[in-house]
Amino acid sequence: SGIAALLEIARVLTKLQRRRTIEFIAFGAEEPYPYCLGSRQYVKQNRATLEEIVAVLNLDMLGGSTEQGDSPSLKTTYAKAIHTGEEIECSKWLTEYITKIASNNGLEIMPVSAISLSDNVPFALEGISAVLFRWTKDMYSHSIQDTAANLGIDKAVYMAKLAGLTVCELSNDLSFNPNRK
């Protein structure tokens, strides 16, 4: 669902004027240990230009499941060293920015401080504002039932809309340069 949203957002944005460059990247090898291999390699190979990145929006499993009662969430805290309990938190500006965009468009998103590991984390560890769009509950996540039949299409569309609005706003807002905490 994340790749589908990424492609649709890119398609729509090609028709709009933008003042910032937008990169759409689909990383591979997130799940096998030692995790986030594609995104970690990207960060490693692009160290010289990381300061140009304003924000990273991770669209991972946007469709959640068909389960009722969950909420759209923005994961903002990551394990820096999970074995020691050390955490890193997304900068406040990005959380507030996305929450405001949601509110202005009749949507809601709940910032959650939940330890997670996904492709936004290697960027966050470098001080780049990075968030993960997810649903608070997904009873099928990382199970054999995690199939298209259990995808909440309406949930994927909801999150794609919010992520797309955020990308559109960020790509035209030159009033700040919040690429570092």
Side-chain angles (χ1 to χ4, degrees):
S1 57
I3 297 293
L6 179 138
L7 292 171
E8 181 61 10
I9 294 166
R11 184 190 68 77
V12 170
L13 284 175
T14 61
K15 300 175 184 180
L16 303 175
Q17 293 281 37
R18 295 172 314 281
R19 297 174 76 191
R20 289 187 189 268
T21 300
I22 303 167
E23 279 190 43
F24 292 91
I25 305 170
F27 294 111
E30 181 213 24
E31 298 299 337
Y33 181 81
Y35 307 110
C36 304
L37 295 174
S39 54
R40 286 193 302 142
Q41 186 64 25
Y42 179 91
V43 167
K44 182 179 176 183
Q45 287 182 335
N46 293 283
R47 289 216 184 274
T49 58
L50 289 179
E51 69 276 354
E52 297 172 15
I53 299 172
V54 172
V56 173
L57 310 178
N58 187 1
L59 313 179
D60 186 11
M61 296 179 60
L62 293 184
S65 71
T66 55
E67 183 179 1
Q68 298 301 309
D70 57 353
S71 303
S73 69
L74 199 59
K75 291 193 177 180
T76 61
T77 306
Y78 320 107
K80 187 171 185 179
I82 205 159
H83 57 282
T84 64
E86 189 178 358
E87 299 176 0
I88 186 169
E89 193 159 335
C90 173
S91 62
K92 192 174 179 180
W93 80 265
L94 183 57
T95 301
E96 291 174 353
Y97 197 87
I98 295 169
T99 303
K100 182 179 176 185
I101 290 169
S103 178
N104 289 346
N105 288 280
L107 302 170
E108 67 176 69
I109 188 103
M110 179 176 61
V112 294
S113 180
I115 300 300
S116 61
L117 184 60
S118 194
D119 285 316
N120 50 311
V121 175
F123 295 91
L125 292 172
E126 294 297 323
I128 298 167
S129 296
V131 294
L132 171 63
F133 287 79
R134 287 291 291 269
W135 288 85
T136 54
K137 298 179 184 176
D138 186 350
M139 60 192 214
Y140 302 120
S141 179
H142 300 109
S143 74
I144 60 172
Q145 289 89 17
D146 191 1
T147 65
N150 291 317
L151 174 68
I153 302 268
D154 55 332
K155 293 177 179 181
V157 169
Y158 184 100
M159 289 298 226
K161 180 179 180 180
L162 180 53
L165 288 166
T166 302
V167 170
C168 190
E169 290 284 330
L170 283 171
S171 71
N172 286 307
D173 189 346
L174 299 179
S175 65
F176 60 89
N177 186 17
N179 55 351
R180 295 287 180 215
K181 292 183 180 185

